[in-house]
Amino acid sequence: MATGEWSPDEIRNLVSRLTLEHKVAQLAGLSAADLFTQSEAGPAVEPLRIKDMRPHGVGHLSLAWFLGHDADSMRGLLAQIQYVVREVSPFGIGALVHNEGINGFLHASGSQFPTAWAQATTWDPELVRRAATVTSAHMLDAGIQLMFSPVMDINRDPRWGRVHETYGEDPELAAQMSVAFVRGAQSEPGVLATGKHFLGYGSSEGALNQAATQLGRRALVDEYAEPFRRAITEAGLRSVMNSYNEIDGVPAAANRWLLTDFLRETLGFDGLVVSDYDSVDMLRTHHRTARTAGEAAVQALSAGLDVELPGNGNYASLVEEVTEGRLDEKVVDLAVARVLAVKARVGLVPGFGPAPAPAVRPDREEAAEVRRALAARGMVLLQNDGILPLTPGERRIVVVGPAADELRIHFGAYTSVSNAEMPLGMMAVMEGKVPGVDPASFVFTDIFQTRMPGMDPVFEGVARELHPEALTVLDALREQDAKIEFVSLGRFEKEDSLDAATVRAAVADADLVLAVLGERTGWVGNNTAGEGQSTASPSLPGDQEDLLEHLAATGKPLVTVVVSGRPLLLQKAASVSHAVLLAPLLGQEAGTTIAHTLFGLINPSGKLPSTFPRHLGQIPLYHGHHHGSGYGHPTGTRHGYGDLDTQGPLYAFGHGLSYTTFEVTLDEREDRPAVELADGMIRARLTVVNTGDVDGETVVQLYARDEFASVVRPVRQLIAFERVGLAAGESRTLVVEAPVERLHYTLTDGRRGIEPGDVTVLAGLAADALPCAATVTVGQTCPIRP
């Protein structure tokens, strides 16, 4: 066999030397949970079971995050499993092991970062790249090759429970964050990123998880695919995961146009396509396009879905489908070649590609530095009448709210906390401790929606055990002001009515009330957001709005902190609070970061990656809507909601205040315009001034609007942005630029490009605060690409 580099012909030759059974074995997963055995000493992992379960080899190992209790035990178990896999697999081919990494390495031993939506509030791709680099080192250290991240879904409906896993509503912001993540994830040889979910998953009907996506072809191609397009071309994305949805009646898992025609032929992707867990099985059980496991397998593989995960419940039937003449073996060969090419790239095929990459220990100091920077830059000051920042000891502060003294609320799904909660929740179900749930008929996927009375203290204990150094908001506040008082008012679940007299008495002597509110996000437990946990109304749950009402009635100055991984309906909080501060699931740094921000040790600089609506009826609401739709109409008034005084958002995309103020102007000069189009680049020369008396950072945002086109275009598109730090009174000139290609769209003849005409370029500090405007003209020379 060849060594070092390899050619496609060599990979095809290797495929030809495999039996049909060997080939099919490479196209499916084996769940790590299937290797567990039970004895009097407790559960144990038995790798030798692989010889009986997968005698022809193992393509992929699933659910690795449940292995081991620390880094050493996980690394050791994976090494044992890989040893047995190589024994049973032809030519000693190893298994691709995957693990989640969107918020950091998903394991008790992993460095945890703020959630993806929180990372997006920083508008700082470099920090995202650094975080992904740390996570990649964790993967390599454990012996894992595929990172099932980032989540590239565009989401414009906050009812969806997985918003916190995304980079928000905007294709450009999500693209830049995705590119940075993939570059960081693939910085270590031997680790590859996986972009998900392809495509339109975050735009499900009614915001219900796994529901149909009602999007036109242009929206999919020009907007929702943009993060994937850019990650493929700019960062070399090597793996993609399908989405659970169906588009125009065709499930994504069996959609040849989506996975082959568009992904491979149009976007130029030449890597591996893996299934989201059970999505092939869902062709039978959910979408009902297949009657048998064999039909489901043929539909998916023929569409371009190379690998079934987490197990082989359907793809195992491929052997029979080929031998019975219902599937050409060449289709199997093509998928196997893709699997082996990726395995060779990461050192899992002896004689092909590099040797397995040497272990690189994760840099814990780097992880801590990045974690703190993400948290600090992710705080978003939504409104402030000057009451913030606070001064220690100046006022008698009473803290209320259910998020004040809880740690787990700051962690989302796919974190060490949610991972530790999952087996505890399953155990409670299986032991009959969850009221109204029959263990005998319980289906695993129902775990996300199952309410678990009495488990909150258990889950909170797990969070504190995993992160003993992390402080709750209350503990961190008391480090700044020891005289702060706490009254346990407000609940995440509404039970007895909250008594107004009780609230009034609790804050009677306060000079200022600090309400720490929000919602829980995760996998299991009493959450209102998370995977499979959509809400009809994304509001503060329980009696928290009643609490705000009662606090407002006292007349006490009120500051509200909101802990959430998605936009919530905050009209009540906005109307009664002197200041509102968003803490977007910052993980273990949350408590300290929130307290430091409230007391001015951190000057907030985060910007919203999603629009916050005023009213439920406005949803979906997003800044880049088309001309004639939505709330912003540069050409004049359009139809709006008659029962709303204000049509726009409560807080716009890109919004975020500071303890200082900034001004952005065009830097006009006699010798050249401030905004110009040259060599295929739009360039805006801007002057940014810190007009306040406090040092601070902000994000300068550049948008553009194609004024006339043969198809309807958005009223604005984000095309570039730059974070800038300025001392009090400091002024700086900077050039923010973007290729005109970022304005390309699908033309009437099917090509991608931009027609000649005027483009308005806008600059400012939020989608609704764009004081700078200039026009450039796109000529015939601008490239038009397929």
Side-chain angles (χ1 to χ4, degrees):
M1 289 186 184
T3 58
E5 294 297 320
W6 69 95
S7 69
D9 285 342
E10 288 175 309
I11 292 292
R12 284 192 289 268
N13 179 59
L14 178 60
V15 172
S16 70
R17 299 171 64 187
L18 303 178
T19 67
L20 178 59
E21 289 77 10
H22 288 151
K23 295 174 186 176
V24 171
Q26 291 297 312
L27 302 183
L30 170 66
S31 173
D34 292 337
L35 303 181
F36 279 85
T37 59
Q38 188 68 38
S39 66
E40 293 183 1
V45 177
E46 182 46 75
L48 290 177
R49 299 184 70 183
I50 294 173
K51 294 185 175 182
D52 294 326
M53 298 172 68
R54 296 289 195 274
H56 302 294
V58 177
H60 305 252
L61 183 71
S62 306
L63 295 167
W65 48 87
F66 288 125
L67 293 172
H69 59 276
D70 57 20
D72 290 339
S73 59
M74 184 187 207
R75 187 187 311 109
L77 286 170
L78 284 174
Q80 293 175 40
I81 291 169
Q82 200 70 270
Y83 181 84
V84 178
V85 167
R86 289 185 182 276
E87 281 192 321
V88 300
S89 298
F91 308 114
I93 300 171
L96 274 170
V97 185
H98 60 256
N99 205 76
E100 301 284 351
I102 189 64
N103 311 307
F105 187 56
L106 181 58
H107 194 260
S109 65
S111 299
Q112 304 297 294
F113 299 103
T115 59
W117 196 67
Q119 293 177 37
T121 65
T122 70
W123 291 54
D124 192 336
E126 175 59 17
L127 282 179
V128 173
R129 184 199 64 77
R130 290 173 63 189
T133 300
V134 171
T135 304
S136 183
H138 276 289
M139 298 277 177
L140 194 60
D141 179 45
I144 296 170
Q145 300 81 32
L146 276 184
M147 189 189 305
F148 273 6
S149 304
V151 174
M152 299 183 183
D153 298 307
I154 303 298
N155 173 267
R156 292 167 172 176
D157 192 329
R159 295 175 296 174
W160 195 51
R162 301 188 72 173
V163 176
H164 72 289
E165 298 177 44
T166 77
Y167 296 125
E169 73 178 44
D170 185 83
E172 180 62 29
L173 179 60
Q176 291 206 33
M177 294 299 184
S178 296
V179 167
F181 189 104
V182 173
R183 286 174 174 165
Q186 297 185 168
S187 60
E188 297 291 353
V191 178
L192 301 176
T194 302
K196 58 188 191 182
H197 307 83
F198 202 76
L199 185 62
Y201 178 48
S203 185
S204 57
E205 189 173 70
L208 294 171
N209 196 43
Q210 302 178 352
T213 292
Q214 305 289 1
L215 291 173
R217 185 65 62 88
R218 276 192 175 85
L220 284 166
V221 170
D222 296 340
E223 299 174 37
Y224 288 79
E226 184 66 10
F228 293 90
R229 177 183 288 109
R230 299 271 288 282
I232 291 167
T233 59
E234 297 178 22
L237 180 68
R238 302 302 307 168
S239 177
V240 165
M241 177 185 287
N242 75 284
S243 54
Y244 282 120
N245 57 336
E246 55 105 335
I247 301 171
D248 197 24
V250 183
N255 193 323
R256 182 170 178 80
W257 170 80
L258 191 68
L259 301 181
T260 298
D261 298 349
F262 181 44
L263 177 61
R264 293 191 181 280
E265 295 177 11
T266 301
L267 298 186
F269 178 74
D270 63 356
L272 185 66
V273 178
V274 300
S275 86
D276 204 342
Y277 279 17
D278 292 324
S279 62
V280 178
D281 203 51
M282 286 170 59
L283 298 176
R284 296 184 294 112
T285 63
H286 183 85
H287 297 295
R288 312 288 284 177
T289 62
R291 295 173 179 81
T292 66
E295 283 186 3
V298 170
Q299 286 181 14
L301 191 71
S302 299
L305 190 62
D306 301 316
V307 175
E308 178 185 12
L309 299 173
N312 68 344
N314 299 279
Y315 273 25
S317 303
L318 289 172
V319 173
E320 181 181 353
E321 295 300 311
V322 171
T323 56
E324 294 296 321
R326 293 186 290 267
L327 178 69
D328 191 329
E329 190 170 351
K330 292 180 180 178
V331 179
V332 174
D333 291 349
L334 181 60
V336 174
R338 291 170 181 156
V339 170
L340 294 182
V342 168
K343 287 191 173 186
R345 185 178 296 274
V346 296
L348 290 175
V349 183
F352 281 72
V360 175
R361 293 292 183 262
D363 188 335
R364 299 283 181 172
E365 291 185 4
E366 167 74 356
E369 181 180 326
V370 173
R371 185 172 65 238
R372 287 191 292 267
L374 283 167
R377 290 183 172 179
M379 293 294 296
V380 185
L381 183 60
L382 297 176
Q383 65 186 57
N384 183 26
D385 67 359
I387 197 170
L388 294 180
L390 304 174
T391 300
E394 183 178 69
R395 304 182 184 185
R396 182 179 180 186
I397 300 174
V398 174
V399 177
V400 300
D405 198 28
E406 181 171 291
L407 185 61
R408 68 183 288 250
I409 191 174
H410 302 291
F411 293 84
Y414 294 94
T415 63
S416 59
V417 171
S418 61
N419 194 48
E421 291 174 350
M422 177 69 81
L424 294 176
M426 282 300 301
M427 189 181 303
V429 169
M430 294 298 101
E431 293 177 353
K433 296 179 180 179
V434 179
V437 177
D438 179 10
S441 60
F442 187 78
V443 178
F444 171 74
T445 51
D446 291 340
I447 191 71
F448 298 124
Q449 293 85 30
T450 303
R451 312 310 291 173
M452 296 188 175
M455 289 295 289
D456 293 336
V458 175
F459 292 152
E460 176 67 9
V462 167
R464 297 190 182 210
E465 183 178 347
L466 279 170
H467 301 285
E469 77 293 345
L471 300 178
T472 65
V473 174
L474 179 61
D475 289 338
L477 287 170
R478 284 176 168 163
E479 283 195 345
Q480 301 303 313
D481 187 342
K483 295 181 180 179
I484 280 179
E485 300 177 26
F486 173 63
V487 181
S488 181
L489 292 174
R491 297 177 61 88
F492 294 118
E493 295 186 322
K494 198 164 188 175
E495 296 177 357
D496 298 331
S497 297
L498 186 62
D499 181 60
T502 301
V503 175
R504 188 167 55 251
V507 302
D509 297 329
D511 297 320
L512 180 144
V513 179
L514 179 58
V516 189
L517 313 177
E519 69 171 348
R520 290 178 175 136
T521 304
W523 275 339
V524 300
N526 304 314
N527 306 312
T528 48
E531 187 167 359
Q533 299 182 64
S534 300
T535 50
S537 178
S539 307
L540 289 167
D543 61 11
Q544 295 180 90
E545 290 208 352
D546 294 340
L547 175 61
L548 285 170
E549 189 79 42
H550 296 325
L551 290 172
T554 69
K556 300 289 185 180
L558 175 63
V559 172
T560 299
V561 175
V562 178
V563 180
S564 174
R566 60 176 176 168
L568 296 178
L569 298 170
L570 297 179
Q571 183 67 56
K572 172 61 67 177
S575 64
V576 302
S577 303
H578 292 258
V580 180
L581 184 67
L582 174 68
L585 302 190
L586 303 175
Q588 64 201 77
E589 299 295 334
T592 298
T593 303
I594 293 168
H596 284 189
T597 304
L598 289 169
F599 281 99
L601 300 177
I602 292 173
N603 188 353
S605 61
K607 299 284 188 174
L608 291 179
S610 302
T611 301
F612 276 54
R614 293 178 181 276
H615 190 279
L616 177 64
Q618 293 177 294
I619 295 172
L621 190 73
Y622 54 98
H623 86 91
H625 60 80
H626 283 197
H627 281 279
S629 301
Y631 67 90
H633 309 290
T635 57
T637 303
R638 291 287 299 170
H639 300 289
Y641 297 104
D643 53 352
L644 287 182
D645 294 332
T646 302
Q647 298 299 315
L650 179 63
Y651 304 116
F653 173 81
H655 170 75
L657 304 178
S658 170
Y659 293 149
T660 189
T661 52
F662 297 93
E663 182 179 274
V664 180
T665 57
L666 294 174
D667 183 22
E668 299 283 4
R669 300 180 184 179
E670 292 184 2
D671 58 334
R672 61 190 306 180
V675 179
E676 57 184 344
L677 171 58
D679 303 321
M681 298 291 292
I682 297 173
R683 295 185 178 89
R685 192 172 60 254
L686 306 166
T687 298
V688 189
V689 184
N690 182 340
T691 55
D693 55 6
V694 179
D695 298 350
E697 296 183 10
T698 191
V699 178
V700 177
Q701 302 162 36
L702 192 68
Y703 297 78
R705 177 171 61 244
D706 192 352
E707 291 294 354
F708 291 93
S710 57
V711 297
V712 182
R713 304 300 301 134
V715 296
R716 75 182 69 81
Q717 288 179 254
L718 180 71
I719 59 172
F721 54 89
E722 185 170 331
R723 176 173 276 272
V724 58
L726 297 172
E730 183 183 359
S731 173
R732 185 179 305 171
T733 297
L734 54 131
V735 175
V736 183
E737 62 180 20
V740 73
E741 187 175 351
R742 290 184 183 170
L743 294 174
H744 282 193
Y745 53 92
T746 302
L747 301 165
T748 54
D749 62 4
R751 295 181 300 165
R752 266 179 65 82
I754 182 171
E755 299 160 290
D758 289 344
V759 170
T760 299
V761 180
L762 306 150
L765 301 177
D768 65 346
L770 301 171
C772 305
T775 299
V776 296
T777 301
V778 176
Q780 295 284 357
T781 57
C782 280
I784 295 180
R785 301 185 179 183

